[in-house]
Amino acid sequence: QRQDLLAQKLCRRSFDGIILMGAQPFPSLVEWQQKQRLPMVVIDRDVDLPFARSIKVDFENAFYRATQHLLDLNHTRIGYISSYSNSDISVARRRGIEQALQEAGLALLPQYCTSVPAGADVDGGFQAMSLLLDRPAGDCPTAVLAFNDVIALGALRALYVRGVRVPQDFSIIGSDDIFSSQYTCPPLTTIGQPKFRLGVLAVQHLQMMRREPWSDENTCTVLDSPLIVRESTGPAPRA
């Protein structure tokens, strides 16, 4: 209902282009956009529409590199706390973890993976990490990658409540590099997002699409994201 209401409001105004972030193009928006032949740029989602382009961060490679960082620290029992959704982003992040582990002769074990319910990222991260810590000492991960920093904040709290030291006993990596991630205790190792670059490119693409013919539509620009190593990751604890 909110999407349809938004599309109705858009129809009453004049625009030169659309930048959509955080969601797939929804039907009422697409119908209006195609009718008006307005250029559209979608951030962090695949798009296969006329007069549209997408800009994405390569999260599969980012989580691959983050997993390699944990492997370099001699972690072999690595887990993943995912979001509730089965979005392209979530699937890509998991693929990156699985690829890095496979190359090291390891696997992402189902018992080391859990997810958080919709709308409960912080509390969900706390509950998900608590479930992992309930496992027997010899069958508990020593490191976890979280789908995003907000989930990682809840997981850090669960580790603190259980008396698990980070990073001496346990390592954790988040994603997105939100402002508060550098002020957690300890500061959170995370995957950065080139947020400013995403915004600049989105506007540049719109300007280009307005100047040029539509022959270059349906292109996708992929950006890399840095691993920001802080103090929440360290060498795997000895057995």
Side-chain angles (χ1 to χ4, degrees):
Q1 292 176 344
R2 292 177 60 189
Q3 291 177 345
D4 291 339
L5 181 61
L6 175 61
Q8 292 173 15
K9 290 181 178 180
L10 291 174
C11 291
R12 304 189 193 108
R13 302 180 63 180
S14 176
F15 296 92
D16 295 325
I18 304 166
I19 298 173
L20 180 64
M21 183 172 184
Q24 289 283 5
F26 48 94
S28 53
L29 174 65
V30 172
E31 181 181 358
W32 174 75
Q33 178 253 344
Q34 294 292 304
K35 183 178 179 180
Q36 299 295 322
R37 294 176 64 87
L38 282 174
M40 178 167 64
V41 175
V42 182
I43 296 178
D44 274 347
R45 296 290 192 279
D46 288 314
V47 61
D48 186 16
L49 295 168
F51 324 129
R53 296 182 181 180
S54 63
I55 306 174
K56 300 194 304 180
V57 176
D58 190 349
F59 284 115
E60 181 173 343
N61 179 262
F63 271 69
Y64 172 85
R65 287 183 282 109
T67 306
Q68 282 188 321
H69 171 63
L70 294 175
L71 291 168
D72 290 341
L73 294 170
N74 295 320
H75 290 277
T76 57
R77 302 201 306 269
I78 297 173
Y80 177 46
I81 302 178
S82 66
S83 73
Y84 68 93
S85 70
N86 195 31
S87 65
D88 293 341
I89 297 176
S90 182
V91 172
R93 296 180 187 198
R94 184 181 180 114
R95 267 201 313 263
I97 299 171
E98 291 174 334
Q99 181 182 351
L101 289 174
Q102 184 179 16
E103 291 178 3
L106 302 169
L108 183 61
L109 302 179
Q111 61 267 33
Y112 293 168
C113 299
T114 184
S115 61
V116 303
D121 283 357
V122 176
D123 184 59
F126 181 92
Q127 299 298 335
M129 180 58 74
S130 298
L131 287 174
L132 292 176
L133 294 175
D134 285 339
R135 300 192 59 80
D139 191 26
C140 177
T142 60
V144 156
L145 296 104
F147 176 82
N148 59 35
D149 287 348
V150 181
I151 291 174
L153 294 182
L156 275 173
R157 179 62 183 175
L159 291 163
Y160 174 79
V161 169
R162 296 291 188 96
V164 180
R165 299 172 302 166
V166 178
Q168 295 91 336
D169 303 324
F170 203 98
S171 290
I172 184 166
I173 298 178
S175 179
D176 296 342
D177 190 28
I178 63 175
F179 179 76
S180 57
S181 64
Q182 58 188 310
Y183 296 107
T184 57
C185 187
L188 183 66
T189 295
T190 185
I191 295 166
Q193 272 214 59
K195 304 179 184 75
F196 185 83
R197 183 65 176 152
L198 283 169
V200 169
L201 281 176
V203 175
Q204 289 176 344
H205 276 312
L206 284 183
Q207 293 171 333
M208 189 182 305
M209 293 166 75
R210 284 177 55 80
R211 289 195 304 264
E212 297 179 357
W214 299 107
S215 59
D216 192 29
E217 59 200 36
N218 293 334
T219 61
C220 178
T221 301
V222 181
L223 303 180
D224 288 329
S225 51
L227 177 65
I228 303 169
V229 178
R230 297 194 179 111
E231 298 172 32
S232 68
T233 50
R238 294 184 179 181

